[in-house]
Amino acid sequence: MTADFRSDTITRPTPAMLEQMLGAKVGDDVFGDDPTVNALEEKVARLFGMEAALFTASGTMANQLAIKCQTQPGEEVICDELSHVYLYEAGGIAANAGCSVKLLHGDRGRITADMVKSALKAEDIHFAMPTLVSLENTMNKGGGAIYNFEEIKKISSLCQQNGLKLHLDGARLFNALVETNETPEDYGQVFDSISVCLSKGLGCPVGSLLIGSKYLIKKARKQRKAWGGGWRQAGILAAAGIYALDYHVERLKEDHRRAKELGEILKPLLFVKSVYPIETNIVIFELQDSILATDFVRAFEKMGIKTVTFGKHLVRFVTHLEITDDHLSIAEKALKKLDFA
């Protein structure tokens, strides 16, 4: 038995999800007449209490559409230095929107209203003016860290007072929601745009959604077409999203439980220097200075277990719907066999 902890993106549709996909009614989404895509977009918009949603091929596309459609070239996006929109979207903020970036150093990727306020500038011909703030919840590079919603509300209020738009990269937002008292509607009230991913913890094969006003989504739909993102009988994929939202949200707590158990396995190991706080389904740990993450990943893969490097001495594990308690047992045995002496 092998175990793949590289990401929650590697999951495959469950038999029940596949059955729903095979039975999906489809049309041509470019013409706007795929009934299952329309149903998914309406379902998600209603869930967040926002006006409209757009089904996209990836979270990166949803994030980049949000930035492109809410900024002008030469403006500035404020975000944490660990943000996915900055680190892992192929320079899209510059390439797609023509914007520069103001990077903040938050707590495991989470910034505060005071930090945003300090980043604001007086009108000056020398400076790129910030027009959009982007947050990420949960924070991937912060070990699946969850934002304090009260702080988000403060940031939202500050943005409104200063004429800035506020975007949420909510790739793993449902992981946060099952651990807190907030609802999707709460988030819909404080953000101008939200992206949510279906192909991570929710277990879909493909897809994310951008949610916002009718005006924003109309602009984003046209921009998606310009980027080659219009698709045809996408209802087959949208059906998976509808199923996941109905049946795969609450089960995220199982992934979180297993992540915490994995963290407890890691903490006493001699080659582990520290383990990031574990709040959701991401486990990041630091190896002792003499051990490279690449060497750890290579040694672990020889034992049939896949994971990824997350820095020179950092390794990331992600639990998901294909990781069982048996996989945890396998990982524990393999970890205790590793010897870096």
Side-chain angles (χ1 to χ4, degrees):
M1 186 185 228
T2 60
D4 195 338
F5 290 92
R6 287 176 298 170
S7 177
D8 42 11
T9 61
I10 60 93
T11 58
R12 294 158 295 186
T14 62
M17 182 183 284
L18 276 174
E19 184 177 351
Q20 187 146 330
M21 293 169 70
L22 291 171
K25 295 179 180 179
V26 299
D28 189 320
D29 184 51
V30 172
F31 289 124
D33 63 12
D34 187 302
T36 310
V37 170
N38 293 342
L40 173 64
E41 292 174 344
E42 291 165 7
K43 181 183 182 73
V44 173
R46 188 168 58 250
L47 183 66
F48 282 84
M50 301 179 86
E51 290 183 342
L54 180 66
F55 189 33
T56 67
S58 68
T60 292
M61 179 178 283
N63 286 331
Q64 291 300 314
L65 285 170
I67 295 169
K68 171 69 175 177
C69 295
Q70 295 183 104
T71 61
Q72 294 295 322
E75 294 178 344
E76 185 177 79
V77 175
I78 297 173
C79 63
D80 188 87
E81 62 187 356
L82 300 181
S83 296
H84 193 281
V85 296
Y86 170 69
L87 286 177
Y88 296 127
E89 298 188 4
I93 294 175
N96 299 322
C99 289
S100 59
V101 184
K102 173 65 176 179
L103 299 177
L104 305 179
H105 180 69
D107 171 28
R108 290 192 293 142
R110 298 166 298 182
I111 60 178
T112 66
D114 286 342
M115 294 172 68
V116 175
K117 186 175 182 179
S118 296
L120 301 181
K121 309 178 182 74
E123 188 72 40
D124 189 305
I125 61 171
H126 298 91
F127 303 141
M129 294 305 296
T131 54
L132 183 141
V133 176
S134 180
L135 310 181
E136 184 178 330
N137 196 23
T138 66
M139 189 54 175
N140 177 26
K141 287 286 283 187
I146 300 173
Y147 255 95
N148 181 301
F149 191 68
E150 291 303 312
E151 194 63 45
I152 289 177
K153 290 196 290 186
K154 292 177 184 177
I155 295 172
S156 176
S157 178
L158 179 69
C159 288
Q160 292 175 22
Q161 293 166 16
N162 290 274
L164 279 71
K165 297 294 185 181
L166 182 60
H167 172 65
L168 175 66
D169 174 0
R172 294 183 175 91
L173 178 57
F174 288 101
N175 290 88
L177 289 172
V178 299
E179 294 292 336
T180 66
N181 294 321
E182 288 79 50
T183 66
E185 292 97 327
D186 292 330
Y187 276 80
Q189 290 175 4
V190 296
F191 284 94
D192 296 290
S193 59
I194 298 173
S195 69
V196 292
C197 191
L198 302 173
S199 61
K200 292 187 171 69
L202 297 186
C204 294
V206 175
S208 291
L209 289 110
L210 174 63
I211 321 161
S213 67
K214 290 181 180 178
Y215 176 73
L216 172 64
I217 297 305
K218 183 178 180 180
K219 287 182 67 177
R221 190 177 297 276
K222 184 172 183 179
Q223 187 62 50
R224 185 190 68 169
K225 175 65 174 174
W227 285 347
W231 39 13
R232 305 297 178 175
Q233 289 73 37
I236 295 170
L237 298 172
I242 293 172
Y243 181 88
L245 290 167
D246 287 342
Y247 298 105
H248 283 179
V249 175
E250 283 301 312
R251 65 146 307 280
L252 291 170
K253 293 178 181 178
E254 298 177 27
D255 299 339
H256 301 173
R257 172 183 63 80
R258 293 188 177 104
K260 290 179 175 67
E261 290 179 9
L262 182 56
E264 292 305 312
I265 293 168
L266 287 163
K267 286 177 183 177
L269 299 176
L270 294 178
F271 55 81
V272 174
K273 187 174 184 179
S274 65
V275 178
Y276 281 28
I278 300 168
E279 298 180 54
T280 52
N281 68 323
I282 297 176
V283 181
I284 297 177
F285 63 96
E286 184 179 11
L287 296 161
Q288 297 293 349
D289 294 345
S290 60
I291 306 168
L292 296 175
T294 50
D295 292 337
F296 174 91
V297 170
R298 192 178 302 115
F300 219 40
E301 188 161 5
K302 288 179 181 179
M303 304 171 81
I305 302 172
K306 294 182 179 180
T307 186
V308 294
T309 62
F310 232 45
K312 185 176 181 181
H313 299 289
L314 294 176
V315 176
R316 187 188 75 169
F317 283 75
V318 182
T319 53
H320 48 78
L321 63 80
E322 292 193 21
I323 293 294
T324 66
D325 290 337
D326 288 340
H327 290 115
L328 282 189
S329 297
I330 291 169
E332 180 176 13
K333 292 175 183 176
L335 285 164
K336 290 180 177 179
K337 287 180 181 178
L338 287 174
D339 184 5
F340 292 100

